């Protein structure tokens, strides 16, 4: 999840409110090639959230989000569109795979767990943001605790000449000033790094294996938490003493102080409100829970998952360890290849809850060329950056890019069409020797042209059997 607002009411952040649908599409264009219809659909869905916040309160609760189904083969950008949208808008986002869920009563994960996981992720992100906001104050407090460990307060008798002096002769003011001066000198040494090799003993809370893990695969996530909460008051909190170097100890103490400074209840309250008003749940492989007919065996469980999913998408209240969470205004984006089934095979009630259906286009040679060169995170830029760390300059000529795109298109057509993911396998095969020998390449420069590509990939690309196993 991207940066979250540090305060204020939940809802779209200020930066996102100003975004028009065209601006959202332009922002997505920086990372995703093509798929204009899908980008327009999610841009309108996002803008509608802002519009909903502007309508009168009595009508606001009646406006439900228009959920979306993205239809297309793997590797065409379905997941990336939803992920980038969440980063763009600072929205709580969680991706789940529909095939992991089972009908209530069967062994496996129940569909409500995705809402609980979204809440957990959002609270963690809010907590981290709040801790970062108070980090400077927490570090000062941590410094004081660390100085107490490095320079313990003197005992009632003191040491040296002070111990030989009568109690009434001790100038308490002077002693305090001397101790304060010594402490500040030690603080200066701490900040200059002169104490980095010192070892101190720090108490940390021991984190046992959570009981929730035992129940997470059988749908009882909350049960483990309740047991732990009930038994927490019967047993003292386990504390573990660790011997750490000063920099590590300072970081541990800073985290402890930051946790004390933030209002945990406020974090939870704001995070839940943010999930309810701006959360995005991306349900991948939704076609895997569509029945292929027959009405028996696995098909019964698949339809059962759809029935369990229906009330959550419609809008219901899910109980979590932090309290109830309403799903009425969470945006659901589902995606699937739908090779052997079609969206019309979903149960009618669930179909009606995903009114927007967008079919994504398969990728060809022209799109592959753009994917390799245009996005801000283009694959070729990534490989150049990786090799630059070894002092190697990688230059891939336009003719080589065209050849890579052509081979990717041909291999996708002959074997399984995995979209842009084919480019990853081809580039790894193409640059395998360069990546291996990079530290020892003389001159530190590699030029990749059409001949280089043909020499590395021609035999493998033309042999269908080898392509299936290597590319």
């Amino acid at each position: 999840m991207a940066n979250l607002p540090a305060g204020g009411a939940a809802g779209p952040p200020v930066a996102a409110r100003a975004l028009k649908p065209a601006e959202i599409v332009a922002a997505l264009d920086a990372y995703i090639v093509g798929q204009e219809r899908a980008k327009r659909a999610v841009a309108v869905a996002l803008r509608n959230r802002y519009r909903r916040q502007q309508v009168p309160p009595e009508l606001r609760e009646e406006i439900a989000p228009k959920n979306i189904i993205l239809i297309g083969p793997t590797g065409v950008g379905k997941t990336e569109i939803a992920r980038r949208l969440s980063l763009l808008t600072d929205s709580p986002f969680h991706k789940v795979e529909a095939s992991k869920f089972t009908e209530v009563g069967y062994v496996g994960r129940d569909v409500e767990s995705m809402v609980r996981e979204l809440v957990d992720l959002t609270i963690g992100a809010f907590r981290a943001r709040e801790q970062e906001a108070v980090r400077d104050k927490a570090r000062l407090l941590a410094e004081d605790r660390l100085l107490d460990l490095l320079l313990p307060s003197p005992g009632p008798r003191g040491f040296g000449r002070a111990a030989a002096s009568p109690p009434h002769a001790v100038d308490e003011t002077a002693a305090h000033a001397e101790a304060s001066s010594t402490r500040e000198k030690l603080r200066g040494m701490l900040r200059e790094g002169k104490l980095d090799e010192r070892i101190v003993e720090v108490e940390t809370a021991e984190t046992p294996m959570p009981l929730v893990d035992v129940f997470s695969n059988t749908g009882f996530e909350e049960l483990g938490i309740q047991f732990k909460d009930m038994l927490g008051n019967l047993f003292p909190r386990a504390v573990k003493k660790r011997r750490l170097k000063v920099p590590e100890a300072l970081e541990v103490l800073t985290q402890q102080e930051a946790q004390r400074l933030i209002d945990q209840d406020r974090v939870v309250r704001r995070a839940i409100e943010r999930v309810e008003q701006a959360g995005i749940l991306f349900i991948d492989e939704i076609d895997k829970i569509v029945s292929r007919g027959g009405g028996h065996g696995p098909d019964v469980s698949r339809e059962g998952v759809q029935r369990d999913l229906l009330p959550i998408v419609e809008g219901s209240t899910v109980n979590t360890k932090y309290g109830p969470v309403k799903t009425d205004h969470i945006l659901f984006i589902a995606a699937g290849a739908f090779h052997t089934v079609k969206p019309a095979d979903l149960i009618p009630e669930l179909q009606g809850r995903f009114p927007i259906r967008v079919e994504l286009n398969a990728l060809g040679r022209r799109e592959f060329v753009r994917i390799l060169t245009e996005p801000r995170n283009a694959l070729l830029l990534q490989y150049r950056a990786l090799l630059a760390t070894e002092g190697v300059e990688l230059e891939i000529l336009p003719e080589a890019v065209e050849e890579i795109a052509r081979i990717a298109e041909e291999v996708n057509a002959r074997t399984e069409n995995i979209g842009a993911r084919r480019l990853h396998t081809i580039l790894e095969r193409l640059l395998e020797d360069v990546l291996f020998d990079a530290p020892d390449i003389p001159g530190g420069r590699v030029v990749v042209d059409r001949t280089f590509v043909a020499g590395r990939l021609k035999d493998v690309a033309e042999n269908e059997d080898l392509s299936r196993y290597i590319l």
Side-chain angles (χ1 to χ4, degrees):
M1 205 167 71
N3 295 331
L4 292 163
V14 174
R17 290 174 181 169
L19 289 177
K20 301 174 183 177
E23 294 170 332
I24 297 169
V25 170
L28 293 175
D29 283 340
Y31 295 95
I32 302 162
V33 170
Q35 313 303 359
E36 296 303 323
R37 288 190 59 210
K39 292 175 184 175
R40 289 171 63 90
V42 297
V44 170
L46 174 62
R47 185 66 178 183
N48 282 340
R49 288 193 157 187
Y50 163 66
R51 292 164 178 157
R52 174 179 166 270
Q53 296 295 328
Q54 314 308 312
V55 302
E58 60 273 12
L59 183 60
R60 185 181 306 160
E61 292 301 315
E62 302 298 327
I63 300 176
K66 304 301 184 289
N67 300 318
I68 304 168
I69 292 184
L70 302 178
I71 306 166
T74 183
V76 297
K78 301 186 297 293
T79 305
E80 189 67 7
I81 286 174
R83 190 176 72 88
R84 289 291 172 185
L85 184 71
S86 71
L87 293 174
L88 177 66
T89 62
D90 290 340
S91 298
F93 176 82
H94 184 44
K95 176 193 172 185
V96 296
E97 295 181 3
S99 57
K100 299 288 182 66
F101 297 122
T102 58
E103 184 180 1
V104 172
Y106 288 77
V107 175
R109 296 174 59 191
D110 67 282
V111 293
E112 288 188 352
S113 64
M114 63 182 176
V115 179
R116 290 191 282 266
E117 290 165 0
L118 178 62
V119 172
D120 286 336
L121 291 171
T122 307
I123 288 175
F126 268 82
R127 185 179 290 124
R129 183 63 180 267
E130 294 283 350
Q131 290 178 358
E132 188 63 29
V134 299
R135 184 173 176 81
D136 291 341
K137 184 177 181 181
R139 192 171 183 87
L140 292 175
L141 295 173
E143 279 185 0
D144 288 333
R145 287 181 59 187
L146 189 56
L147 291 174
D148 290 339
L149 296 173
L150 293 169
L151 185 68
S153 301
R157 288 186 53 82
F159 298 93
R161 288 185 299 174
S165 303
H168 63 273
V170 178
D171 187 342
E172 293 184 1
T173 304
H176 178 75
E178 182 179 356
S180 179
S181 175
T182 303
R183 187 180 180 87
E184 290 307 312
K185 289 178 182 178
L186 200 61
R187 189 189 299 272
M189 295 173 64
L190 173 64
R191 293 178 176 177
E192 293 171 6
K194 296 180 179 179
L195 305 177
D196 286 356
E197 297 303 316
R198 294 278 297 273
I199 302 293
V200 293
E201 194 174 74
V202 179
E203 289 187 352
T204 60
E206 192 170 4
T207 54
M209 293 297 292
L211 188 59
V212 64
D213 289 347
V214 177
F215 295 93
S216 61
N217 287 332
T218 54
F220 293 105
E221 290 92 343
E222 298 307 306
L223 187 57
I225 298 298
Q226 292 169 5
F227 281 158
K228 186 174 68 174
D229 292 342
M230 286 188 296
L231 299 176
N233 295 327
L234 300 180
F235 301 99
R237 188 177 182 85
V239 176
K240 180 180 180 181
K241 291 187 177 181
R242 300 170 58 191
R243 291 177 57 82
L244 303 171
K245 288 188 175 182
V246 165
E248 297 173 350
L250 183 59
E251 186 62 31
V252 170
L253 294 174
T254 300
Q255 292 176 3
Q256 292 178 0
E257 292 299 327
Q259 290 178 4
R260 293 191 181 100
L261 288 172
I262 65 175
D263 185 345
Q264 299 289 349
D265 292 337
R266 176 174 174 269
V267 168
V268 170
R269 185 172 61 253
R270 288 182 53 248
I272 290 178
E273 187 177 359
R274 183 75 173 149
V275 166
E276 291 179 339
Q277 301 299 323
I280 298 176
L281 275 170
F282 184 83
I283 307 174
D284 203 5
E285 297 184 347
I286 196 169
D287 55 319
K288 301 298 190 298
I289 60 169
V290 177
S291 172
R292 293 173 175 83
H296 58 82
D299 290 341
V300 176
S301 181
R302 291 191 185 103
E303 288 197 3
V305 174
Q306 293 183 56
R307 288 192 296 269
D308 292 342
L309 191 60
L310 180 61
I312 296 178
V313 178
E314 284 182 332
S316 61
T317 300
V318 176
N319 291 318
T320 73
K321 62 184 176 183
Y322 304 104
V325 176
K326 295 181 179 180
T327 66
D328 301 64
H329 301 291
I330 292 178
L331 176 64
F332 291 87
I333 302 177
F338 290 95
H339 286 311
T340 59
V341 294
K342 53 187 181 297
D345 293 327
L346 289 164
I347 61 175
E349 298 87 350
L350 194 58
Q351 290 183 47
R353 294 300 170 179
F354 286 88
I356 302 175
R357 301 179 189 177
V358 183
E359 188 169 355
L360 282 75
N361 303 318
L363 303 176
R365 183 186 311 185
R366 185 176 64 178
E367 289 78 20
F368 288 152
V369 171
R370 295 180 60 196
I371 290 170
L372 287 169
T373 57
E374 291 184 9
R376 293 181 184 175
N377 59 341
L379 284 175
L380 298 187
L381 293 177
Q382 296 178 29
Y383 280 100
R384 288 194 188 105
L386 289 173
L387 288 170
T389 63
E390 302 274 7
V392 176
E393 180 186 354
L394 176 66
E395 182 180 358
I396 301 181
L397 301 180
E399 62 184 39
V401 175
E402 290 283 349
E403 185 68 9
I404 293 169
R406 183 189 67 80
I407 293 174
E409 183 182 45
E410 289 184 359
V411 175
N412 272 347
R414 287 205 313 267
T415 59
E416 189 72 24
N417 186 359
I418 60 172
R421 293 190 176 93
R422 183 72 64 188
L423 295 173
H424 291 270
T425 61
I426 288 177
L427 285 173
E428 282 296 318
R429 176 72 177 179
L430 175 67
L431 300 174
E432 181 181 4
D433 290 344
V434 176
L435 294 168
F436 185 86
D437 298 326
D440 305 314
I441 292 178
R445 188 167 187 267
V446 176
V447 178
V448 178
D449 55 14
R450 189 185 299 274
T451 304
F452 184 98
V453 176
R456 289 289 300 160
L457 299 177
K458 183 178 180 181
D459 294 340
V460 178
E462 291 180 351
N463 189 319
E464 184 172 343
D465 292 332
L466 285 177
S467 296
R468 290 184 180 275
Y469 289 99
I470 297 177
L471 297 181

